[in-house]
Amino acid sequence: MKKTGKNIHSETICAVDYAFQRIGGKHKGRVIYHLRNGVRRYGELRRLLTGITAKMLTQVLRELEQDNLVTRHVYLEVPPRVEYQLTDTGRELLPFIILLSEWGRKQMGMETAVSC
Amino acid sequence: MKKTGKNIHSETICAVDYAFQRIGGKHKGRVIYHLRNGVRRYGELRRLLTGITAKMLTQVLRELEQDNLVTRHVYLEVPPRVEYQLTDTGRELLPFIILLSEWGRKQMGMETAVSC
DNA sequence: CAGAATCCTGCGAGATACTG
DNA sequence: CAGTATCTCGCAGGATTCTG
């Protein structure tokens, strides 16, 4: 609630732009992609998303949560456990994220391609 | 050829990331979207893409061209005419750009939504 | 008309250190 | 384990001016 500046939901522009703002950014696509098979813990995501810092992962997850694309479930245990999962809305994005990843893989040439 | 720094095609990472690097950025999605119906002139694009500067439009178009997503056809006339068009590869992205825009429109609520 | 050349700025994102 | 809190900086992207 502190960042009043860049609010996606204000005076919007174009649907394509809007969508890109919600799933764009450096890591959002990848995060969604790695949530495709269901529930993931924070630590799992950190391991899956190589090259992302804790800060960015947290930030991305929070944004996705605010945008109602993922849910965050905190288990009050010791040690703490937090699980993330796509919402229905987020899930609607999957087909197209996967499409995109297939396109990317194809473009890269299958040899160099890594699943992620 | 001057910017040796950020080269997409070097030591790539994840297919999703790769794809996002090619169609990400602030305006790329929109440009592709506006080329969906075929040939567009530079000036047309400028008018269609409200809020984009000449510099950015040119830059985006050049990047898309280098990435083999659009073709650039210069007519040696006075006044000059330059037409842009999606390549086959670029065209493969359309389904998903359109999907994305529909998703975006839906999310925004149809009232506020503008075609672009 | 379709750009190229400059200059300039904000903020996206990295590194590092600390905590319930 | 799953985060926060700072500090810092590069570069994406804007404004403006000039040109074939």
Side-chain angles (χ1 to χ4, degrees), chain A residues 19-87:
Chain A
F20 263 98
Q21 282 175 30
R22 283 183 70 165
I23 66 152
K26 194 165 185 183
H27 304 289
K28 272 184 183 171
R30 248 158 95 218
V31 170
I32 294 175
Y33 184 74
H34 277 108
L35 286 172
R36 68 189 180 288
N37 290 327
V39 173
R40 290 285 182 196
R41 296 183 57 171
Y42 179 84
E44 281 186 288
L45 290 173
R46 286 209 62 181
R47 260 169 277 117
L48 289 167
L49 295 161
T50 54
I52 193 175
T53 61
K55 177 194 161 191
M56 283 314 297
L57 179 54
T58 302
Q59 185 180 306
V60 165
L61 286 168
R62 290 296 138 80
E63 286 178 22
L64 291 174
E65 194 191 357
Q66 283 182 25
D67 278 352
N68 196 38
L69 298 182
V70 308
T71 56
R72 179 169 181 268
H73 198 300
V74 182
Y75 295 86
L76 294 174
E77 315 171 342
V78 180
R81 173 160 61 118
V82 181
E83 292 183 343
Y84 293 92
Q85 189 173 191
L86 290 175
T87 62

Side-chain angles (χ1 to χ4, degrees), chain B residues 3 26-27 55-56 80:
Chain B
K3 297 190 68 177
K26 193 165 185 183
H27 304 290
K55 177 193 164 193
M56 283 314 297

Side-chain angles (χ1 to χ4, degrees), chain A residues 12-20 22-23 26 30 89 92-93 96 100-101 103 106-108 114 116, chain B residues 12-20 23 26 30 33 89 92-93 96 100-101 103 106-108 114 116:
Chain A
T12 324
I13 350 97
C14 148
V16 180
D17 245 28
Y18 172 84
F20 263 98
R22 283 183 70 165
I23 66 152
K26 194 165 185 183
R30 248 158 95 218
T89 307
E92 285 177 28
L93 287 170
F96 114 126
L100 191 53
S101 101
W103 179 88
K106 189 170 146 198
Q107 292 300 312
M108 297 163 73
V114 269
C116 243
Chain B
T12 325
I13 349 100
C14 148
V16 180
D17 244 28
Y18 172 84
F20 264 99
I23 65 154
K26 193 165 185 183
R30 250 158 94 218
Y33 183 74
T89 308
E92 287 176 26
L93 286 171
F96 125 114
L100 190 53
S101 99
W103 180 85
K106 190 169 144 198
Q107 293 300 312
M108 298 163 73
V114 268
C116 243

Side-chain angles (χ1 to χ4, degrees), chain B residues 51-100:
Chain B
I52 193 175
T53 60
K55 177 193 164 193
M56 283 314 297
L57 179 54
T58 302
Q59 185 181 305
V60 165
L61 286 168
R62 289 298 137 80
E63 286 179 20
L64 291 173
E65 195 191 356
Q66 283 182 26
D67 278 352
N68 195 39
L69 298 182
V70 308
T71 56
R72 179 169 181 267
H73 197 299
V74 183
Y75 295 86
L76 294 174
E77 315 172 342
V78 179
R81 174 160 60 116
V82 180
E83 293 184 344
Y84 294 91
Q85 188 174 192
L86 289 175
T87 62
D88 290 342
T89 308
R91 208 155 265 290
E92 287 176 26
L93 286 171
L94 271 183
F96 125 114
I97 292 275
I98 291 178
L99 240 168
L100 190 53

